[in-house]
Amino acid sequence: MPSYNAMELMICCAARTLEDRRTLAVGTGVPCAAAMLAQRIHAPNLTIVFESGSVAPQLLTMPISVGDSRTLYHAAMATSMCDIMEFSQRGLIDYTFLGGAQIDVYGNLNSTQIGSDHARPRVRLPGSGGANDLASFCRRILVVTNHDKRRFVERVDFLTTPGYLTGPGAREAAGLPRDTGPYRVITDLAVMGYHPQTKRMQLLTLHPDVTMQRVRDHTGFAIDAVADVGQTPAPTEDELRLLREEVDPLRYLIGR
Amino acid sequence: MPSYNAMELMICCAARTLEDRRTLAVGTGVPCAAAMLAQRIHAPNLTIVFESGSVAPQLLTMPISVGDSRTLYHAAMATSMCDIMEFSQRGLIDYTFLGGAQIDVYGNLNSTQIGSDHARPRVRLPGSGGANDLASFCRRILVVTNHDKRRFVERVDFLTTPGYLTGPGAREAAGLPRDTGPYRVITDLAVMGYHPQTKRMQLLTLHPDVTMQRVRDHTGFAIDAVADVGQTPAPTEDELRLLREEVDPLRYLIGR
Amino acid sequence: MIELSRGLGELFSDPSPDAARLAIAEKSRSLTDKLTTVSDAVSRFVRDGDYLAIGGFGLNRIPTAIVHEILRQGRQNLRFAGHTSTHDFQILVAGNGMGNGRLLAAVDVAYIIGLEMRGLSPHGRRVVESGEIALTEWTNYTLALRFKAAAMGIPFLPARSLLGTDTFTRSAARSIECPFTGEKLALVPALYPDVAAIHVHEADRHGNARFRGMSVADLELARAAKRLIITCERLVPEEEMRRDPTRTTIPYFLVDAVCEVPFGSYPGNMPGEYFSDEVHIRAWLEAENTQETYRDWLRRTIYGTRDFADYLQLCGGLPRLQELRRQDLMLDRGR
Amino acid sequence: MIELSRGLGELFSDPSPDAARLAIAEKSRSLTDKLTTVSDAVSRFVRDGDYLAIGGFGLNRIPTAIVHEILRQGRQNLRFAGHTSTHDFQILVAGNGMGNGRLLAAVDVAYIIGLEMRGLSPHGRRVVESGEIALTEWTNYTLALRFKAAAMGIPFLPARSLLGTDTFTRSAARSIECPFTGEKLALVPALYPDVAAIHVHEADRHGNARFRGMSVADLELARAAKRLIITCERLVPEEEMRRDPTRTTIPYFLVDAVCEVPFGSYPGNMPGEYFSDEVHIRAWLEAENTQETYRDWLRRTIYGTRDFADYLQLCGGLPRLQELRRQDLMLDRGR
């Protein structure tokens, strides 16, 4: 079995969640690497869009910015942010990858501030960017992040980006499109999904050598698990080769 | 003094109302000829737009359709109908020329139907097209039409396109932009404007050899006149030469 | 936010974005080969009772072959968006009042029957005045705006048009007081057509499309429709579209069928390619004068032709089209 | 139509389209020569207290020279639209907390302080955490949508974003029940900036402009702003723009000043021209670590340079720019 690091495993897990023949709004970094890897393995017909306006590029090199020239490489269309966001609002974009400084049990994300005073936050973060929009519009929200207690919190300091909000029915009650919501959280410890009824985050698979207790120790809220928690399959040789040679040859991500 | 026909006079009158360095949404026919003539005489910097999407063409030949290739000749931009209409709604288009089967004392226009039953009209006409929109958005509405009693009516059968509606303050009360409204009506008999307070149509100048009585006989409502009704200046030699040689050499309009 | 009034017109389609999302949930987002014939595209994607919308403006850049085929295949009870719809409406309305049932059941009207400076369609007038088509009134902008709302995936858009007129009263718009400014506004409901057809200069087999000149309301329409048929003057390879993505304005995932139809806007105008055939249109309007002459005309031009190439041949073939190209290039000022 | 709730955030600009129409009533619609210098454009069109918006996205296709000059000329109390505003915000916020008064007084935030994968701006954080800038929260889409509402000449647009979040609570949006469908929606107020600056590939002296690649929110912004400064990589003759009007996306009557600024997006990326200078940006972020090092950095790069050409020279001149072009063309996969 080949050796690999946590980042490589996370990217492979993220890639595997993406079905072929679907559309995906990505940012830079892990999401982009995951999409590029998925296209090279099982999803050649996965379409990438970037919120700045690129549609269906055939990425050669990982972009540094969501709007840089690299996002446009061999693209089918270069358009506007409103167009991309409205394709999403219209229901044409299946997946999106998002991140944040905090995530709670319902998949709500905070990328605005740490601390509760909006005028004088303890730490000011960049804000929503396009996250709130894509999380409102896309059918399945994916999060890839490191797993620690300061990040997986009982209650986000600021609800920047909607997950299941306060639980079952809350997205619909708020007016968000009916067919949307959090889908997977992929960390350096495990893969999580959401309980179909309670909409609470739940453990699906543990990464090799990770115990349930270790996940619980690193999660700031009580986390359930499906009945048959499995083990995350390790990256295959094919996945690692493509990731290392074609997706991230300069080790921007996997060298971290 | 050169001889001319009624159509030539109407086009010259229409051209003269257009100030230089302004923008104008036109249709085909007389409005287009007037704009082309104005550009060749006193308004070289008059910008034409067509609602189908052409901006600032340097028209060589009169278009047949508001969206045909001719409207695009040497244009500065080809864009969408929404873009043109929204430039207008935004306040960037100064003039528009409109027509209709009926016009009333407040400059309201009907291009939808003759008769009052909407489900079974006596005569069905095309409908608003872009007229209602342009009349709502543009700063000054111009009408060029033949002058007869069936056309100049007390009350339009169907108010397709807003003039001053029911009189002073009515446009503003309806929610139309504050700086808009009917400006001139140019016919084969006279040039009319609107009373600044009452907003009723009023006679400004009579064409050569036309009496006030004749205008009244051909108008289906009581029409006032400014104190000093003048005579419309006849077309100049320059106007006629440019109109006949450059604007309408095939006599599409002026041969009617 | 106060609702002030509402138009009395019937709303012929569902403005709900959630319903529209549901309808496209399983639409392919894949780069598959969508090349097909006009006849196949119409038979698979245009259904009885559909809400139909046609791209272009007047006689300019219209997908004539698709409109012919809808008439030829005898679709019934369509609802239709009549936004400066001249020759396309003229063809479709030949499916009413000619003993072939009722092709058009309801029309959202901005501009129909008229052919701009060319006059009114006699048959179109007869049918519409008979009252057999339900009509709701709009304007060119507000009907385009209804597509735009659908393209954006929302249920309505505001405008400062329609206000104070009978056009509003006979529309299905509402008026409100703006919650931010207190200004009065009209709200127009989103229009999500079941199917639309758009003619462009160039497309690839997946449906990526681009055109020259005015886009009219076609970019909005392409994004609003649940199913979309593209006809194009010329197929181009995928690599050609990807060489300059700035020029692509309709992406493949909106498109269900691609048909190459050279001279596909004839007898209409195609910017930079050929001008409208005014002689043909005059003859068409003339033929509409009586039911008998019109029946003969339609038998000869539509029902009696196998396909669009056959129709072009009937109308003078390449020599006539070359003459129209000469007009479009404005050699001799377009004479 | 029922209003359900409203955000607590402050609205930093007037969403009334009638007010905006009044502001542009006498704006020139004429084909006049608008060519000028960056310094003149800023001194004439950017005023203390203005609401400012900058085109592009992140470090991509940004009018860097204009932003430098605003800092250099010491404008005060600007309001600003922070929509994935990375290097432009970074430059502007150097006018706060450095002993030169307060350049930024209020910011509509979608994304500020961060430079995407490059990390956060230390000085930006210090200033924003000090509380001296009033903040209202939005998202990339809803801020673009606020420009779009203004571009359309209406007071608001609806969206299905923001709903249910603290971002809504700290915005100045409202939520309503749709009068057509009963669905809940957010309404965002129009944003009519006093002045905007946009960088493009090509423009003519009258202001007709076009660019390659993503338009981000620039077409909306160009139409929303009351005054507009265009910087371009290359001036082209008017005839070149009229040769292919389909490519023009900003028409001259929106534009107040045109400045030719080759490499004008540096250290940002210009699609098809040059990639971002990551070395320079890293050095910039490093310099922000303390007030002292930052003061030196700004003195050297902005206050100590005469103009943008001088700044480019300082940063390595043409050889460095050619290296960045090589990266942008993705020779050797962009290494």
Side-chain angles (χ1 to χ4, degrees), chain B residues 15-94:
Chain B
R16 292 170 193 158
T17 57
L18 301 171
E19 290 169 38
D20 196 17
R21 299 171 178 272
R22 291 287 163 186
T23 46
L24 166 68
V26 294
T28 47
V30 174
C32 205
M36 289 169 74
L37 183 60
Q39 285 178 328
R40 282 159 178 78
I41 294 185
H42 64 280
N45 240 316
L46 175 71
T47 292
I48 294 174
V49 303
F50 287 92
E51 65 179 82
S52 62
S54 175
V55 173
Q58 296 171 332
L59 296 178
L60 180 70
T61 295
M62 273 199 289
I64 293 176
S65 160
V66 169
D68 73 27
S69 294
R70 294 171 181 185
T71 66
L72 201 59
Y73 194 77
H74 287 190
M77 179 167 79
T79 184
S80 68
M81 173 177 284
C82 280
D83 208 17
I84 299 292
M85 288 298 189
E86 290 158 6
F87 286 139
S88 311
Q89 194 165 239
R90 179 74 175 82
L92 286 156
I93 308 299
D94 298 307

Side-chain angles (χ1 to χ4, degrees), chain A residues 16-67:
Chain A
R16 292 170 193 159
T17 58
L18 301 171
E19 290 170 39
D20 196 17
R21 299 170 179 274
R22 293 286 163 185
T23 45
L24 166 68
V26 296
T28 48
V30 174
C32 207
M36 288 170 75
L37 184 59
Q39 285 178 328
R40 282 159 179 77
I41 294 187
H42 64 279
N45 241 317
L46 174 73
T47 292
I48 294 174
V49 303
F50 287 92
E51 66 179 82
S52 62
S54 175
V55 173
Q58 297 171 332
L59 295 178
L60 180 69
T61 296
M62 274 199 289
I64 293 177
S65 160
V66 169

Side-chain angles (χ1 to χ4, degrees), chain D:
Chain D
M1 185 157 178
I2 304 157
E3 183 173 319
L4 302 169
S5 62
R6 46 176 81 185
L8 306 169
E10 193 183 339
L11 193 51
F12 299 129
S13 58
D14 182 353
S16 161
D18 267 338
R21 284 178 70 105
L22 200 61
I24 60 162
E26 290 312 314
K27 182 170 173 136
S28 163
R29 290 109 161 86
S30 198
L31 283 159
T32 49
D33 191 340
K34 297 165 188 165
L35 261 182
T36 186
T37 60
V38 165
S39 145
D40 176 65
V42 170
S43 94
R44 283 197 293 142
F45 296 113
V46 185
R47 300 164 195 165
D48 284 353
D50 268 357
Y51 195 109
L52 168 72
I54 296 293
F57 179 97
L59 269 149
N60 312 295
R61 206 166 48 63
I62 54 172
T64 315
I66 298 293
V67 190
H68 280 190
E69 188 64 20
I70 291 171
L71 183 65
R72 205 181 273 123
Q73 293 193 15
R75 287 292 172 285
Q76 295 291 300
N77 294 313
L78 301 185
R79 292 158 290 150
F80 181 65
H83 63 110
T84 300
S85 183
T86 70
H87 190 51
D88 47 344
F89 179 80
Q90 190 181 20
I91 300 167
L92 291 171
V93 79
N96 289 50
M98 297 294 290
N100 298 313
R102 186 179 68 161
L103 194 155
L104 292 174
V107 175
D108 282 310
V109 180
Y111 182 100
I112 55 170
I113 300 175
L115 280 89
E116 301 190 76
M117 291 184 76
R118 305 168 189 95
L120 301 180
S121 150
H123 177 74
R125 271 192 59 188
R126 283 193 296 269
V127 170
V128 172
E129 289 171 4
S130 81
E132 86 167 42
I133 300 177
L135 302 181
T136 297
E137 303 290 330
W138 305 94
T139 65
N140 276 349
Y141 177 54
T142 55
L143 206 40
L145 199 58
R146 295 187 60 198
F147 292 145
K148 185 164 175 164
M152 292 170 69
I154 50 177
F156 69 83
L157 277 173
R160 309 186 74 187
S161 185
L162 292 176
L163 297 160
T165 64
D166 292 335
T167 312
F168 176 87
T169 310
R170 292 296 170 181
S171 78
R174 312 274 172 105
S175 77
I176 59 144
E177 207 169 273
C178 171
F180 295 99
T181 66
E183 292 159 336
K184 279 184 201 163
L185 289 166
L187 303 185
V188 302
L191 200 177
Y192 295 89
D194 294 308
V195 61
I198 294 174
H199 187 63
V200 301
H201 290 82
E202 295 176 329
D204 69 21
R205 67 165 72 190
H206 303 130
N208 292 303
R210 64 190 185 192
F211 49 83
R212 301 213 298 282
M214 293 79 80
S215 59
V216 195
D218 290 1
L219 305 190
E220 293 84 358
L221 175 56
R223 287 150 176 79
K226 297 174 196 160
R227 291 172 242 130
L228 177 60
I229 301 169
I230 293 289
T231 66
C232 62
E233 290 289 322
R234 269 178 302 280
L235 272 176
V236 295
E238 177 184 359
E239 306 84 67
E240 169 60 20
M241 298 301 294
R242 292 187 182 271
R243 205 183 51 78
D244 191 0
T246 311
R247 291 176 59 198
T248 310
T249 47
I250 299 176
Y252 69 93
F253 53 72
L254 301 173
V255 177
D256 294 280
V258 179
C259 311
E260 189 183 33
V261 186
F263 304 101
S265 181
Y266 179 89
N269 166 220
M270 190 70 181
E273 302 277 345
Y274 44 90
F275 203 64
S276 48
D277 188 341
E278 296 301 322
V279 177
H280 186 71
I281 290 294
R282 254 200 312 279
W284 192 304
L285 284 169
E286 184 94 0
E288 285 189 35
N289 276 330
T290 74
Q291 279 227 336
E292 290 62 44
T293 53
Y294 200 29
R295 186 162 289 123
D296 285 349
W297 173 270
L298 293 171
R299 192 176 295 135
R300 210 158 58 81
T301 56
I302 313 271
Y303 297 113
T305 51
R306 277 186 318 278
D307 56 22
F308 197 69
D310 206 17
Y311 171 73
L312 289 176
Q313 196 53 43
L314 180 80
C315 298
L318 275 180
R320 178 65 185 150
L321 294 162
Q322 284 173 285
E323 166 63 26
L324 297 173
R325 186 186 309 282
R326 191 169 160 281
Q327 286 180 24
D328 199 68
L329 298 180
M330 288 194 239
L331 310 180
D332 309 318
R333 303 185 73 174
R335 281 169 216 183

Side-chain angles (χ1 to χ4, degrees), chain A:
Chain A
M1 198 148 102
S3 74
Y4 56 88
N5 65 30
M7 179 59 83
E8 288 171 332
L9 178 59
M10 281 162 75
I11 294 172
C12 291
C13 287
R16 292 170 193 159
T17 58
L18 301 171
E19 290 170 39
D20 196 17
R21 299 170 179 274
R22 293 286 163 185
T23 45
L24 166 68
V26 296
T28 48
V30 174
C32 207
M36 288 170 75
L37 184 59
Q39 285 178 328
R40 282 159 179 77
I41 294 187
H42 64 279
N45 241 317
L46 174 73
T47 292
I48 294 174
V49 303
F50 287 92
E51 66 179 82
S52 62
S54 175
V55 173
Q58 297 171 332
L59 295 178
L60 180 69
T61 296
M62 274 199 289
I64 293 177
S65 160
V66 169
D68 72 27
S69 295
R70 296 174 180 183
T71 67
L72 201 59
Y73 194 76
H74 287 192
M77 180 165 81
T79 184
S80 67
M81 172 178 284
C82 280
D83 208 16
I84 298 292
M85 289 297 189
E86 289 158 7
F87 285 140
S88 312
Q89 192 165 238
R90 179 75 174 81
L92 285 156
I93 308 300
D94 298 306
Y95 299 104
T96 190
F97 275 110
L98 301 173
Q102 297 179 326
I103 182 168
D104 73 13
V105 69
Y106 292 118
N108 300 305
L109 293 162
N110 173 15
S111 59
T112 303
Q113 62 179 51
I114 303 299
S116 59
D117 183 351
H118 184 254
R120 294 293 296 268
R122 205 158 75 244
V123 179
R124 174 69 211 198
L125 303 166
S128 157
N132 179 302
D133 309 307
L134 293 169
S136 298
F137 305 151
C138 297
R139 293 173 191 272
R140 293 175 166 185
I141 308 167
L142 311 170
V143 170
V144 183
T145 186
N146 284 324
H147 208 134
D148 67 65
K149 244 187 156 106
R150 282 175 319 156
R151 199 175 285 270
F152 285 72
V153 295
E154 184 64 43
R155 201 187 155 82
V156 290
D157 288 5
F158 190 99
L159 202 170
T160 310
T161 295
Y164 286 111
L165 301 174
T166 55
R171 282 179 73 92
E172 297 74 6
L176 295 171
R178 278 193 283 253
D179 48 358
T180 57
Y183 179 63
R184 290 286 182 274
V185 180
I186 293 156
T187 71
D188 50 337
L189 300 183
V191 175
M192 280 136 304
Y194 293 85
H195 188 280
Q197 271 74 54
T198 67
K199 302 300 185 190
R200 290 173 61 92
M201 200 185 295
Q202 61 179 5
L203 208 59
L204 298 181
T205 65
L206 290 163
H207 292 348
D209 304 323
V210 176
T211 62
M212 186 116 46
Q213 191 53 46
R214 187 156 156 224
V215 172
R216 294 211 161 110
D217 289 347
H218 285 74
T219 306
F221 50 82
I223 185 160
D224 298 325
V226 293
D228 51 342
V229 174
Q231 197 190 66
T232 312
T236 66
E237 283 191 41
D238 243 25
E239 286 173 330
L240 286 173
R241 184 180 50 79
L242 289 163
L243 179 55
R244 291 168 183 173
E245 291 174 17
E246 295 199 16
V247 173
D248 190 15
L250 297 184
R251 305 179 59 76
Y252 284 132
L253 296 170
I254 62 179
R256 278 188 187 179

